[in-house]
Structures are given as C-alpha cells and as structure tokens.
Amino acid sequence: AHNDVAKLSGRSHVSHSFYSQVHPTWPEYLRGLQVASAEASAGRLVGEVSPVHFHFVWVHQEKFNGAYVEAMGGFWRQCNARSAPEKIRLSHRECMRARMPEARKAEADAAARAGVRLQPPTLMRAVYGSFEPALIVMLRLPWERMHAAYYNYVHYRGRYAKLHGSDASGELNWANESIGAFHRCEAEFGPTSCALRFESLTRENEETFYHCDQLLKGIYAVFLPQWRREFARLLPLRTEEYFSAPEAVLARAFRFLRLRVPQTPQEWRPILGRGRVVHGSRPPDGKPPLPHDVRAL
C-alpha cells in the first residue's frame, strides 16, 4: 500500500452506508471515524469506499425517502381496512396505485421543507461544508456492468435462467425486460426521474423485478452531473482501463490525490500485489463472455 495512505486493519473504520441508509446515525458515524483520527493527524490520507453512493437509485436513498415510505404504509393500512365489497370494486393493487402520487407529494414536501435536494451528493456537501474532498469514481461499461451483475447476484440468474431454459436466454430476457420497463417509464416521467425514483413512480415500476436496478445504475449521465454540481474535485476513471493497465490508472489517481507516484518496480510491488476483492457469488470458473445479442441491445 502507499506509504502516505492510512493503513487500517480489521473492519472498515466507517460504515459505507451513512450517506444513503438510515443507519449509522451521525453520532455512530463519527464514532467510527475515531479509529482513523490518529492516521489523519499523522498526515496520512484517510478515505472511504462505497459500492452504492455514486448511483443513488431510489432503493439506496433510505435516508431521504422516508416520507414516501411512511405515507405508503398508511395508505396500505387504509386500503387493507376497506370492506369486502369495496375491495371487489377496487382491488388492493389499484387502491395503492391511486395513492402513489400523494406519497410522492409527501416526499416532495419534505424536500421543500429542507430547502435542498434530498440525495447523497447534497448530504455529503452539507457534511464537508467548505472543505473540498477528492472524489474518485470507477465507471464500468454499462453493458459489462449488467453482465457481471447477472452472474454476481444469484437472484437475477436464478430467476431468468430457470424461466428461459439457459443462462444466455435468461440474461437476454432480463436485459430486454429491464430496458422495456425503463423506456415505458421514460416516456411518462423522463430519464432523470426514472433513474432516481423508478419504483416510486408507478405500480408497474414497483412490480418490475428488482426495479431494473442494474440498468439504472449504469445511467451515469444522470448521476455524474449531480455529483459535479456539489464537488469540484471529482475524477472519473474507467474500470476497464484499470483492469488492463492498473499502474497507469493508479498513477493518475495518486496525482489527483496529490500523493507521490511510485517510481520503481520495487515501490509499485506492494501496491499492485495486493490483489482484488470480489464481492458476490460469481461462478467459480468465471462468467462467460457477454452474448452478442445482449450487447446489441
């Protein structure tokens, strides 16, 4: 590892979910940071890593969508408490569909009271105040990202391969279903609203398998401008370039972070030799190549 970067053993010194999920609370988050304070006081760089902050789709905005969830919970109880004849005239599904605009208004009212956009970039800017942190985001080709997710998370492959007879057919149908659901939403609400609030917009969106989340997370053109609006020091990097030329990409990152770039193979060895951490449940022999008909979508 780089000598000027904090070396923190054991569990991560902070929860990576603070800016999106309900827990940790602010005091819990600060207590987690105490582990890193000695390293920071010694002049070493301290940072956080998160797999979910950049693409803040609706499911990753638990800190902000509470008004909507609370309102829909109340509507669920009201719809469920109706008499049997009322439920015949209007099904529970349609009763809940009719109340979704009211729940979205409750969410919009909460944002209006706060006076800011309720989303992770805004919260992070409020936390950092006038201090300008350095942010790095790793962006993967969206179709390669979806392909990896299909094999990395068992629920996609498990459902669609079983329904369609093979992994390849399952992936094609999953991709088609996700793209179709997004286009249907986009025609009514526009790309930004669909990327940020997909499952809160219509009952059909809410019922789409996992709310086409892996497609939404690859719509970088929605998320990146909102991060740049709040943070001046932001460096996007291509994941594929890192895989093919890690030394060159890390050198760019070090320069961006104002860290010394290693000059010899001996200095690079402990950095490049750390190996990659892979999360999820990928096939033991690796994922197959992206099918041509999926790429063509």
Side-chain angles (χ1 to χ4, degrees):
H2 198 290
N3 290 332
D4 295 327
V5 175
K7 300 174 181 62
L8 301 166
S9 59
R11 283 189 57 146
S12 172
H13 59 292
V14 293
S15 168
H16 302 147
S17 62
F18 172 72
Y19 295 105
S20 54
Q21 297 177 346
V22 175
H23 289 286
T25 62
W26 179 244
E28 291 168 343
Y29 178 70
L30 290 181
R31 283 195 293 272
L33 285 173
Q34 288 176 0
V35 180
S37 60
E39 292 279 344
S41 298
R44 295 187 183 89
L45 181 68
V46 175
E48 302 179 53
V49 178
S50 171
V52 299
H53 285 166
F54 173 75
H55 42 60
F56 47 95
V57 295
W58 199 80
V59 73
H60 293 321
Q61 297 189 57
E62 290 182 11
K63 264 192 164 65
F64 311 110
N65 59 28
Y68 176 94
V69 173
E70 184 177 348
M72 287 301 283
F75 297 149
W76 186 94
R77 290 187 290 273
Q78 292 174 22
C79 290
N80 198 50
R82 294 174 303 145
S83 66
E86 288 175 318
K87 291 178 179 177
I88 291 173
R89 287 194 298 271
L90 184 70
S91 69
H92 183 82
R93 179 181 185 275
E94 294 305 311
C95 181
M96 291 296 291
R97 179 208 294 270
R99 309 304 291 272
M100 292 179 83
E102 295 176 68
R104 291 200 300 275
K105 184 178 184 305
E107 187 177 14
D109 289 345
R113 288 192 297 272
V116 294
R117 294 183 303 276
L118 296 179
Q119 53 188 224
T122 312
L123 176 58
M124 281 185 65
R125 172 44 69 200
V127 169
Y128 281 99
S130 61
F131 178 77
E132 196 60 56
L135 306 184
I136 295 176
V137 57
M138 300 291 291
L139 301 177
R140 193 169 190 177
L141 291 172
W143 50 91
E144 290 288 352
R145 190 191 180 288
M146 278 193 73
H147 178 57
Y150 180 75
Y151 285 93
N152 194 51
Y153 302 108
V154 296
H155 44 279
Y156 305 118
R157 186 183 177 202
R159 172 185 173 88
Y160 287 91
K162 183 177 180 180
L163 283 174
H164 300 283
S166 69
D167 286 336
S169 293
E171 183 175 6
L172 177 61
N173 279 274
W174 171 59
N176 265 319
E177 183 178 303
S178 297
I179 293 170
F182 181 78
H183 283 328
R184 181 187 65 222
C185 178
E186 182 184 29
E188 184 174 358
F189 297 99
T192 298
S193 288
C194 291
L196 298 180
R197 293 177 285 277
F198 183 82
E199 56 264 51
S200 73
L201 296 176
T202 69
R203 190 68 176 175
E204 289 80 9
N205 290 1
E206 198 275 332
E207 292 170 347
T208 299
F209 189 70
Y210 275 81
H211 318 123
C212 65
D213 59 340
Q214 297 303 326
L215 175 70
L216 299 180
K217 291 175 181 180
I219 306 178
Y220 307 138
V222 168
F223 303 109
L224 188 58
Q226 303 201 47
W227 284 104
R228 288 184 186 238
R229 186 181 295 121
E230 301 292 344
F231 296 97
R233 290 190 67 200
L234 191 153
L235 175 66
L237 296 174
R238 295 286 295 272
T239 303
E240 289 76 19
E241 292 179 4
Y242 171 70
F243 289 160
S244 62
E247 185 174 319
V249 173
L250 286 172
R252 285 183 61 198
F254 290 153
R255 285 191 290 270
F256 174 73
L257 296 172
R258 298 164 186 165
L259 295 170
R260 178 181 176 275
V261 177
Q263 300 298 310
T264 67
Q266 290 75 20
E267 289 180 314
W268 276 111
R269 190 170 297 119
I271 298 172
L272 298 176
R274 291 179 63 84
R276 256 179 234 151
V277 177
V278 178
H279 301 280
S281 304
R282 303 187 183 186
D285 54 348
K287 68 182 187 299
L290 178 67
H292 176 75
D293 47 4
V294 176
R295 183 188 295 272
L297 293 175

